[in-house]
Amino acid sequence: MRDSIIMLFTILSVLCNAQIIKTKRGIVSLDGVHVAKISNKSNVYTFMDLKETPMYTIEFVDKSIVDSVRDSYIRLNRVYNRDKVLELDYISPSAFSGDEKSAVYTCIKGLKIIDNKGINIKSLDELFKNVPKRKLDTKTKEAYTTRSKIDKMNITVNNVGEILSNGKPVGYFTNLPVSFGSDNTISEKTFVDIEIYDANSKYIGKYITTTKQLKTAGGKTFTIYKEMSGRASILKFPTYQAIAERMAIMDPNFIKIQEKVIVGEVTKDNAQK
């Protein structure tokens, strides 16, 4: 009985202290009091005081990192001091909230730069002095690590199916369609798999068009693109560049060995020669 009473008072306390946040016709209200104004243009939300003086902007970013992993965050920038832009996590009042509600909710509940007196410039400036670290999950962190490796390789595919790393040939595709273009996505299902070889014509692996899977010569497999719904929807079919990039991660020797031979990295063997 005692535990039930304590729980009841706890719930009542939370309900009594809960803030009522509303946004209607560009006016942000907190517990029934107008505290700020907001406008939207091209996915950028501008927060203003009640006199409509712009104070800061919030832009929503949703980008693909690698394969099916995406990252969603906000960019926050002061109107009166644009020397620095912050990339921050945001929070939403519910899973079905739009960007505007999420922006307002984040400013009040998360960043605490809007209170019952309006936009708190002191808190806003303090935020830029002590920038909070983003809370990335393990999957997203690993995706950024993979993306960093891929970017350093600078992999491209030319119009004859040749794979290049930093402008140097490192491999090539075979079994390409007649209408092949380096920027094309692979949408056609064929009985003949698209194969990858290194610059020395050593078999590296293949892309199976019927299952959208990559398989290395060593037997590793990876489904490169998966369909997703909602905000994180992505392209159903991969590009040739995406396949080459993922194959380079699955088989590190594919690009690493070629870099030593073609780019001219000095090794003990080369030095002896």
Side-chain angles (χ1 to χ4, degrees):
M1 182 68 178
R2 183 187 175 190
D3 291 340
S4 298
I5 293 173
I6 292 173
M7 186 176 292
L8 177 61
F9 276 103
T10 301
I11 294 172
L12 289 173
S13 176
V14 171
L15 291 173
C16 289
N17 292 322
Q19 291 176 306
I20 300 173
I21 302 169
K22 289 186 177 181
T23 305
K24 187 176 182 180
R25 295 178 181 176
I27 300 176
V28 180
S29 300
L30 186 56
D31 294 330
V33 178
H34 296 343
V35 291
K37 290 189 176 183
I38 183 174
S39 66
N40 172 33
K41 186 177 181 180
S42 302
N43 201 39
V44 177
Y45 292 85
T46 300
F47 284 79
M48 304 167 282
D49 62 17
L50 295 176
K51 294 181 180 179
E52 298 190 1
T53 303
M55 295 296 175
Y56 63 92
T57 61
I58 283 182
E59 178 185 5
F60 283 83
V61 179
D62 179 56
K63 67 179 183 181
S64 173
I65 309 173
V66 64
D67 304 324
S68 59
V69 182
R70 302 185 72 84
D71 187 18
S72 296
Y73 57 93
I74 58 172
R75 288 196 182 107
L76 188 146
N77 197 0
R78 290 173 294 191
V79 171
Y80 54 88
N81 185 352
R82 292 186 174 274
D83 290 341
K84 190 176 184 180
V85 179
L86 305 186
E87 294 187 347
L88 305 166
D89 293 322
Y90 66 89
I91 54 177
S92 302
S94 72
F96 304 101
S97 299
D99 287 348
E100 183 179 83
K101 284 188 176 180
S102 296
V104 171
Y105 195 80
T106 298
C107 291
I108 295 172
K109 289 290 189 179
L111 304 177
K112 302 186 186 302
I113 52 180
I114 296 180
D115 54 33
N116 55 7
K117 294 182 181 180
I119 296 175
N120 192 321
I121 298 298
K122 184 178 179 181
S123 297
L124 179 62
D125 290 340
E126 186 63 31
L127 186 68
F128 276 80
K129 291 179 182 177
N130 300 294
V131 183
K133 291 183 179 181
R134 294 196 58 208
K135 298 176 182 178
L136 301 177
D137 58 29
T138 301
K139 186 178 181 181
T140 306
K141 287 180 180 178
E142 290 175 350
Y144 270 115
T145 299
T146 300
R147 171 46 60 189
S148 178
K149 292 178 181 178
I150 290 173
D151 288 344
K152 288 178 181 177
M153 294 179 196
N154 189 23
I155 297 173
T156 55
V157 179
N158 65 21
N159 288 329
V160 294
E162 199 174 27
I163 302 168
L164 304 106
S165 175
N166 291 305
K168 304 295 182 180
V170 293
Y172 56 90
F173 287 99
T174 63
N175 302 332
L176 295 172
V178 176
S179 59
F180 168 77
S182 59
D183 295 327
N184 290 353
T185 55
I186 306 174
S187 57
E188 185 180 355
K189 293 182 179 180
T190 62
F191 294 105
V192 181
D193 299 324
I194 296 171
E195 296 182 338
I196 298 175
Y197 292 81
D198 69 13
N200 296 319
S201 297
K202 177 186 175 184
Y203 175 65
I204 300 298
K206 63 183 177 180
Y207 174 69
I208 307 170
T209 61
T210 53
T211 61
K212 300 185 185 70
Q213 281 187 321
L214 272 175
K215 188 171 183 179
T216 68
K220 291 183 181 178
T221 59
F222 185 85
T223 304
I224 191 166
Y225 271 65
K226 298 178 182 178
E227 283 189 278
M228 299 173 68
S229 60
R231 182 177 184 133
S233 60
I234 58 174
L235 289 174
K236 182 178 178 181
F237 303 106
T239 61
Y240 290 94
Q241 179 176 322
I243 288 176
E245 289 175 346
R246 174 48 65 177
M247 189 62 78
I249 294 300
M250 293 173 71
D251 184 355
N253 290 327
F254 171 36
I255 300 296
K256 186 177 180 181
I257 291 176
Q258 299 305 321
E259 284 182 333
K260 288 181 181 178
V261 174
I262 296 173
V263 179
E265 179 180 332
V266 177
T267 63
K268 289 183 179 179
D269 293 336
N270 288 338
Q272 289 175 355
K273 291 178 182 179

